[in-house]
Amino acid sequence: MQNSRNKALSEREDFIMTKGDKKENIKCDQQSLAGAVSQRACVYSGARVVLNPVKDAYHLVHGPIGCASYTWDIRGSLTSGADVFRSSFSTDLKEKDIVFGGETKLKLVIEELMEAEQYEPEVIFIYSTCVVGVIGDDLKAAARKAEKKYGIRVIPVESSGFAGTKSKGYKAACEALLTLMDDFKAENNGVESSKKAADNRNEIKKLSQQNEDYGELDTKEKIRLLQKKLSQINSLQTGKAIENFKNKKLKEQAEVSSYSKKINLLGDYNLAGEGWIIENYLNQVGIELVARFTGDSSIKDIRKAPTADLNIVQCAGSMKYLAKRMEKKFGIPFLEISFLGLQDSLDSLRQIAQHLGDQIIINNVEKLIARRLPDTEAKLRIYKNYLSGKKAAIYVGGAFKAISLVKQFNDLGIKTVMVGTQNGKESDYEKLRELTDPGTIILDDANPSELEVFMREKGADVLVGGVKDRALAYKMGIAFFDHNHERKDPLVGFEGVVNLAQELDLTINSPIWKTIRSGIDE
Amino acid sequence: MQDLVPKEYKERNSLVINPVKTCQPIGAMYAALGVHGALPHSHGSQGCCSYHRMHLTKHFREPVVASSSSFTEGASVFGGRANLETALKNIFAVYDPQVVAINTTCLSETIGDDIGSIINGFDVPEGKTIIHASTPSYVGSHITGFSNMVKAMIKQLSEKNEEAKTNNKLNLIPGFVDPGDIREIKRILEAMDIDYILFPDQSDVLDTPLDGNYDMYPEGGVTIPELNDTGNSQATIALGEFASADSAFELEKKHDVKPYILKSPVGIKATDELLMQLMKLTGKEVPAKIEKERGQLVDIIADTHHQFHGKKVAVYGDPDIVISLTEFVLSLGMRPVHVLTGTPDNKFEETVTEMMSDADWEYNITAGGDLFQLHQWIKNDPVDLLLGNSYGKLVARQEDIPLVRVGFPILDRSVHSYLPTIGYKGAILLVEKISGALLDRKDRDTDFELTEFVL
């Protein structure tokens, strides 16, 4: 067994490095080897996890039943209203559909969906799967026909499983979301005004980017310059504000008038209500959340997304693409933020406020922080007593989660002895190398044997990962912390950092790990 | 929660809403895990393999390892031969399994990869075995996939010795059941002093103890020599027609081993039938301790029958277990009013209809149905109890009906895979669960003034 493990490692040497070693780079962002016991999924999976939380859309999986079954309510995104997204719709392709093509069945399925009385779909997303890509069903044509017939939006999602990696699926989902946003342009603004708004936003963006030039000035002077710039930005935004105001329905005016700025939240899936926590902070400081991408999002919200002043991107891996596209298309600037971890949460709130350039919001953020920080820090201090000196292994999908975890572990006195991701990019791994201590194993697209070897070698007390790794960790007698789709407690913001510490304590310090080696053997 | 299920039926022949089945490959993967030292291999995109592992891990709460051919666009155009060859080389070099059990997917089936010929051209390392099953996701269900993989084991591995001497063993195919069930079957066979070859055997693979060591290939599973020897057995007992019969017939066709197809032994009647068949085939007696368990089960049902009589129940899930559960709840005096499987097969409807011949109440039976249909039935004819997998929670919550979890998958409760549903012991546990669920409901709904300690 030891022999095979060594072999297992030599085959993948380039994908693994140890902090402090000579090796400069890690190989990543590659397809897995054929025959690999990889934890990775497919294009379809990427599209499904990103798009499925759109709560009032009909998510129709065009393929054999499996693709729909395995992803049925997989994400754990909470909803505040419609929950049609929690049902699983499939064309359940059979042999004859594969032979003669699946378009006929797709047409029938859409017909049945439209004719069912209880359903009034406004938008149907049709997900393409492996076999559909191979038999070459023309989803676009089918969608167009259905749109014409029923007067609703039917949007194909190009997500044939084999056609790339999970990241490509994220993009396919983002494209579908952009298609939805096109409706906004057509319905509300017209091309001209939207272009004007985009020009305005680009101007604002240029102004905001000059931010870093104040280096050595004293604080008063900095504020003075900042204020001046803000007033410039505000005057540019006034025009747009009036334009937006006109477009608003009367019933919305009252609630919206108290917010001076509007933003979209990208790359949050409202797992365990995380999106609600972030929204709550934003509202408290005077920011309106227009649309969420995509946790607890509705079609209506998404269509309004182009009216926002700013996009904030939580999970960059899945949504930076959308942010860039929206910047280009609608002139909405974006900020990569992270509400995972205390320092990152504080930084993010401040960055958002600065970027919006509204002094009231800037002040409100400081008030919010002043209100919440002492209590949070006090709680963390308690958990630090229980966690300091423990060793953690991290293996997660997205690199942004890994990075924030390492930071949070550093704060809690937990040493990260191994960190890996399924979909990390070179820059992510550089960042990880900066954050970790010498000797830390850093790896890309790991398999269970590797995780096992390194966890054992480094004496990890806890593994942070997804559902497939939970059983492995337990089998080794190591605690486990769920940082994936299935997590049940929110991990963002002030609440989240405390939850994280609490859950880590709960699993690392469970008596079960001591029980394993006590008892009848001794 | 939105109520998206109307009472009124509308014709629906194409659209599936909330499936009660999944695709072939996961069944094949589960079957393959019941072979000692086997690494299941999925010949298709990475996603399939990842989903199957995840789903099995969620049900069993155990590590599930499998590899994938990791198809790319190139493979999908030019065929997956190169991917499979590279995969096999990598697998033997890196993960060193005794056996690789390959299942196909809708993708590789559609592009037309001929796995048999690819394997024939592959230089299999000394002492290693490759099994391969064709498991197109667009035919049947996960139960079909399970059956196909077990059949492949027989087709490709069973042998008969030249002297045509029997090994005095019984072949036993347990079907798509949990390790806890397999342990129970083995306990019964051992109590009766019967030599057997049981396959596939996931006990000691997906219910291993926690001792601080992770073993990629745990000690359990049927061995290759055992599978070779199945052609010399006295007879084959296949439990569950849908998951196991084809393999038993294959053994008959190939080596003239006589097949006996029984129901999955859930409940008294089906367990009685299994024991009678075992006695008949081997001439062995049922030992007193097993008889005593039967007596205890009967005693327990006598103590509790008033809780069950006339209660309406909906049973859904995989065909073999649903058929036996239906028979069992009938024997408890309950009224199965809705019986549904997602696996498409008319035999299911025939079998259940026959079972219900004495029923003087209205009932629905469907194969190839979905949970939406079951939900509509329940809206029109409400039930007191749901029996089936975790997905029924959707209906249970919306209609406020107690749910007893049986079958696959169970994703929201633990321990189930360690305990039997089959045999007398399994029936005792089922009675406890059903009775508990009904009485918990009664306690919840009874006014405090009327609440009693003794029920």
Side-chain angles (χ1 to χ4, degrees), chain B residues 7-321:
Chain B
K7 212 172 155 180
E8 188 204 338
Y9 303 114
K10 272 246 162 102
E11 201 176 325
R12 187 166 57 88
N13 300 314
S14 305
L15 170 65
V16 168
I17 313 171
N18 300 338
V20 185
K21 65 168 177 181
T22 183
C23 63
Q24 284 209 43
I26 194 175
M29 187 181 280
Y30 182 53
L33 288 165
V35 178
H36 179 68
L39 182 70
H41 179 81
S42 172
H43 187 50
S45 299
Q46 257 178 16
C48 312
C49 185
S50 195
Y51 281 138
H52 305 148
R53 289 176 58 204
M54 193 171 68
H55 219 56
L56 291 170
T57 282
K58 284 176 181 167
H59 175 86
F60 295 104
R61 295 179 192 252
E62 289 288 303
V64 173
V65 174
S67 55
S68 161
S69 289
S70 308
F71 267 45
T72 56
E73 267 176 313
S76 308
V77 176
F78 302 113
R81 173 182 281 269
N83 277 59
L84 185 55
E85 283 169 353
T86 313
L88 286 170
K89 271 181 217 149
N90 283 337
I91 288 166
F92 284 116
V94 178
Y95 303 108
D96 196 29
Q98 289 303 304
V99 181
V100 177
I102 305 166
N103 66 260
T104 58
T105 56
C106 46
L107 179 56
S108 51
E109 284 288 334
T110 306
I111 61 178
D113 282 348
D114 180 354
I115 308 296
S117 88
I118 299 173
I119 306 296
N120 282 339
F122 183 78
D123 191 12
V124 183
E126 183 71 29
K128 308 286 181 175
T129 307
I130 296 178
I131 309 170
H132 61 93
S134 167
T135 53
S137 320
Y138 44 75
V139 176
S141 74
H142 57 297
I143 297 299
T144 323
F146 179 91
S147 170
N148 283 341
M149 181 54 87
V150 182
K151 194 172 155 187
M153 292 173 196
I154 297 305
K155 214 168 180 169
Q156 291 154 36
L157 295 172
S158 80
E159 294 167 1
K160 198 177 180 89
N161 59 28
E162 283 166 17
E163 302 92 58
K165 265 201 236 155
T166 166
N167 56 17
N168 285 321
K169 287 179 180 171
L170 281 185
N171 294 329
L172 206 138
I173 311 174
F176 199 120
V177 291
D178 282 333
D181 295 313
I182 294 172
R183 280 183 194 281
E184 182 60 13
I185 296 171
K186 294 208 281 200
R187 189 181 71 91
I188 292 170
L189 292 167
E190 279 153 27
M192 290 180 73
D193 196 25
I194 295 170
D195 274 346
Y196 61 87
I197 302 172
L198 183 144
F199 60 94
D201 180 359
Q202 294 88 351
S203 64
D204 285 318
V205 177
L206 289 170
D207 61 354
T208 62
L210 201 172
D211 57 8
N213 294 308
Y214 166 65
D215 198 347
M216 196 160 153
Y217 307 109
E219 66 173 84
V222 64
T223 62
I224 296 300
E226 282 178 303
L227 283 173
N228 295 150
D229 197 25
T230 50
N232 303 313
S233 295
Q234 207 185 326
T236 304
I237 293 188
L239 300 179
E241 185 173 352
F242 295 84
S244 307
D246 271 3
S247 313
F249 291 133
E250 182 65 28
L251 262 166
E252 183 187 33
K253 196 172 102 191
K254 204 173 160 195
H255 299 304
D256 208 20
V257 182
K258 203 157 169 33
Y260 295 88
I261 316 297
L262 301 180
K263 283 193 290 281
S264 194
V266 176
I268 305 182
K269 191 159 175 267
T271 307
D272 286 350
E273 282 163 12
L274 170 63
L275 292 178
M276 307 269 272
Q277 193 59 257
L278 289 172
M279 288 199 298
K280 224 162 133 190
L281 286 172
T282 61
K284 303 267 169 86
E285 290 294 313
V286 174
K289 72 172 180 186
I290 303 283
E291 263 182 60
K292 204 177 275 176
E293 285 167 16
R294 185 185 195 279
Q296 288 174 326
L297 170 59
V298 175
D299 186 88
I300 286 165
I301 296 174
D303 290 342
T304 51
H305 70 276
H306 58 279
Q307 301 168 15
F308 307 125
H309 200 89
K311 287 278 194 303
K312 284 155 68 176
V313 52
V315 191
Y316 63 94
D318 297 337
D320 291 322
I321 183 102

Side-chain angles (χ1 to χ4, degrees), chain A residues 32 35 83 88 112 118 475, chain B residues 2 4 18 46 62 68 208:
Chain A
S32 301
D83 50 20
S88 174
E112 288 178 355
Q118 77 287 7
K475 213 46 111 185
Chain B
Q2 277 183 302
L4 294 165
N18 300 338
Q46 257 178 16
E62 289 288 303
S68 161
T208 62

Side-chain angles (χ1 to χ4, degrees), chain A residues 94-280:
Chain A
K94 304 282 173 59
E95 197 156 18
K96 76 168 199 301
D97 308 315
I98 306 299
V99 177
F100 298 109
E103 284 171 43
T104 317
K105 190 155 194 196
L106 178 60
K107 186 172 160 260
L108 287 171
V109 162
I110 296 174
E111 241 169 65
E112 288 178 355
L113 198 57
M114 292 310 300
E115 277 159 23
E117 256 162 38
Q118 77 287 7
Y119 293 147
E120 283 167 358
E122 199 180 330
V123 172
I124 301 175
F125 290 116
I126 308 171
Y127 296 75
S128 159
T129 57
C130 281
V131 76
V132 166
V134 172
I135 61 178
D137 281 359
D138 187 349
L139 293 197
K140 278 189 189 138
R144 262 199 311 271
K145 274 184 213 157
E147 287 196 330
K148 218 169 156 192
K149 187 168 173 191
Y150 300 107
I152 58 159
R153 289 310 310 265
V154 181
I155 300 170
V157 186
E158 301 295 342
S159 53
S160 276
F162 59 84
T165 60
K166 201 171 173 182
S167 305
K168 198 171 167 200
Y170 300 152
K171 282 188 185 169
C174 292
E175 289 295 343
L177 290 164
L178 282 163
T179 309
L180 253 190
M181 282 183 258
D182 282 345
D183 297 349
F184 166 80
K185 211 164 70 182
E187 283 167 18
N188 297 346
N189 258 2
V191 181
E192 275 307 302
S193 66
S194 144
K195 191 169 172 294
K196 203 176 148 206
D199 289 346
N200 260 356
R201 287 200 194 92
N202 282 333
E203 186 64 25
I204 292 166
K205 194 187 151 206
K206 259 190 243 156
L207 282 166
S208 345
Q209 275 169 350
Q210 295 162 2
N211 223 347
E212 293 83 23
D213 303 341
Y214 304 124
E216 296 305 310
L217 297 173
D218 72 81
T219 318
K220 256 189 188 167
E221 184 65 3
K222 251 192 247 177
I223 291 173
R224 199 186 60 79
L225 280 172
L226 208 58
Q227 298 279 18
K228 194 180 154 199
K229 199 169 84 179
L230 293 181
S231 71
Q232 277 178 290
I233 292 175
N234 283 339
S235 72
L236 276 166
Q237 283 174 333
T238 317
K240 185 170 61 72
I242 293 168
E243 190 184 297
N244 286 340
F245 191 72
K246 275 192 220 155
N247 287 329
K248 283 222 166 299
K249 286 177 193 155
L250 279 173
K251 64 171 181 174
E252 282 174 337
Q253 281 181 19
E255 97 189 56
V256 172
S257 62
S258 63
Y259 302 123
S260 58
K261 298 289 178 195
K262 302 196 296 184
I263 67 174
N264 297 316
L265 170 59
L266 275 64
D268 174 86
Y269 301 95
N270 204 31
L271 307 183
E274 288 179 347
W276 294 334
I277 291 177
I278 299 174
E279 179 174 15
N280 188 24

Side-chain angles (χ1 to χ4, degrees), chain B residues 370-381:
Chain B
D370 57 22
L371 209 59
F372 186 90
Q373 182 176 9
L374 184 79
H375 199 160
Q376 279 195 308
W377 284 347
I378 288 172
K379 283 211 185 266
N380 285 284
D381 189 0

Side-chain angles (χ1 to χ4, degrees), chain A residues 395-450:
Chain A
Y395 185 67
V396 290
F400 99 106
K401 288 195 282 193
I403 292 168
S404 90
L405 279 164
V406 173
K407 287 189 196 165
Q408 291 188 75
F409 288 174
N410 287 345
D411 290 346
L412 286 166
I414 297 172
K415 198 172 141 61
T416 303
V417 292
M418 185 203 93
V419 54
T421 85
Q422 286 169 37
N423 306 312
K425 305 268 184 300
E426 208 173 312
S427 56
D428 300 322
Y429 288 109
E430 257 165 48
K431 182 93 191 155
L432 284 171
R433 209 158 53 152
E434 277 168 32
L435 288 169
T436 49
D437 290 339
T440 301
I441 304 284
I442 302 174
L443 75 180
D444 180 69
D445 187 24
N447 62 52
S449 324
E450 287 164 10

